Amino acid sequence: MPQLMRTSNPALGDKTFTGLPGAYGDLSNRMTLNGTVNKTGILLVCAVATAGWTWMQFVQSRDISTVTPWMLLGMIGGLICAMVTIFKKEWAPVTAPAYALLEGLVLGGLSAVFELRYPGIAIQAVSLTFGTLFVLLFAYRTGIIKVTEKFRLGVVAATGAIALFYLLQMILGFFHFQFTSINGSGIIGIGFSLIVVGVAALNLVLDFDFIETGVRVGAPKYMEWYGAFGILVTLVWLYLEILRLLSKLQRRN
């Protein structure tokens, strides 16, 4: 098996396709690109379904406490499902849809809260997220964006730096230390969000390339679900960062 591609998506690490249960030589049980696309669509439908439910619960009550238990369930359950999926890839046909359903509970509640404060922001964020997905997929498939080793290393390093910053911010938050300029709606805050959105978007390119590698090496069929799960992880991150960026822009108006 040739050396596999590296990606900063925690669900699609550089050893994802090594040592997997299932025969690589079985032609009828191999991962395909069309199969991965179909599974991605199924996961998106699952996420949208539960997001729509929590959205309606909040819209009807206008009380965040109505959806808070569901959002907590989604966050905790989604994290558990994500970790199980990463370490037990052969369970992805079950755990990936479960993750999508649970993550939708969080996204729907958060989106409704943002929508109440900034009318129209949710549809803008959804449109920009899927627009970015299709533009980058086109750019990747046509060769406009080429995934070189330097490209991979740059995106991985940038993603790691952002993750470390968010972790540091969370820890310092317990001591009431806030990065007001970065979290604010000033030039620095908007600039930071633009950078994070850009890095999140570029992770999609690495995910496309990594899935294509899995197809090329003939990974087991269940890896279609795992590849779709990895794409969803990146899309959720991208959507949340776009939502955050749009809210900062709205506060400036």
Side-chain angles (χ1 to χ4, degrees), residues 56-225:
M56 291 305 300
Q57 293 297 309
F58 179 78
V59 168
Q60 291 172 4
S61 66
R62 297 298 178 103
D63 184 0
I64 187 63
S65 64
T66 304
V67 296
T68 297
W70 295 107
M71 292 174 64
L72 288 175
L73 172 64
M75 283 189 284
I76 297 172
L79 178 61
I80 293 173
C81 283
M83 297 305 296
V84 171
T85 306
I86 290 171
F87 289 103
K88 298 293 291 185
K89 300 173 182 63
E90 64 272 26
W91 292 5
V94 174
T95 56
Y99 168 80
L101 290 168
L102 289 164
E103 201 65 34
L105 295 175
V106 182
L107 295 178
L110 283 176
S111 299
V113 171
F114 273 90
E115 181 70 17
L116 181 63
R117 186 170 182 181
Y118 309 109
I121 193 173
I123 188 62
Q124 293 174 17
V126 169
S127 299
L128 286 171
T129 299
F130 282 99
T132 301
L133 170 66
F134 292 127
V135 167
L136 288 178
L137 180 58
F138 174 80
Y140 172 73
R141 296 296 294 173
T142 57
I144 296 174
I145 297 180
K146 297 184 182 298
V147 181
T148 64
E149 188 63 23
K150 288 184 178 179
F151 180 89
R152 293 190 197 98
L153 290 175
V155 175
V156 169
T159 305
I162 292 169
L164 287 175
F165 173 77
Y166 280 158
L167 178 62
L168 176 63
Q169 182 175 237
M170 182 179 66
I171 294 173
L172 292 178
F174 291 115
F175 301 97
H176 306 289
F177 185 88
Q178 302 292 330
F179 293 87
T180 53
S181 59
I182 289 179
N183 293 315
S185 57
I187 298 298
I188 295 177
I190 292 175
F192 176 78
S193 287
L194 283 171
I195 292 172
V196 176
V197 167
V199 173
L202 291 177
N203 270 273
L204 284 172
V205 178
L206 296 190
D207 296 343
F208 299 151
D209 188 66
F210 194 81
I211 290 170
E212 194 169 59
T213 300
V215 173
R216 186 169 65 249
V217 301
K221 191 73 173 176
Y222 62 80
M223 289 301 290
E224 293 176 352
W225 284 105

Side-chain angles (χ1 to χ4, degrees), residues 1-7 11-27 29-37 89 140-141 152 205-228 231:
M1 184 183 303
Q3 184 178 1
L4 298 176
M5 303 298 184
R6 190 184 319 173
T7 171
L12 300 176
D14 55 353
K15 295 182 180 180
T16 299
F17 293 110
T18 60
L20 294 173
Y24 278 81
D26 186 356
L27 296 179
N29 194 37
R30 283 188 177 184
M31 178 182 185
T32 66
L33 189 58
N34 286 338
T36 306
V37 171
K89 300 173 182 63
Y140 172 73
R141 296 296 294 173
R152 293 190 197 98
V205 178
L206 296 190
D207 296 343
F208 299 151
D209 188 66
F210 194 81
I211 290 170
E212 194 169 59
T213 300
V215 173
R216 186 169 65 249
V217 301
K221 191 73 173 176
Y222 62 80
M223 289 301 290
E224 293 176 352
W225 284 105
Y226 190 82
I231 289 288

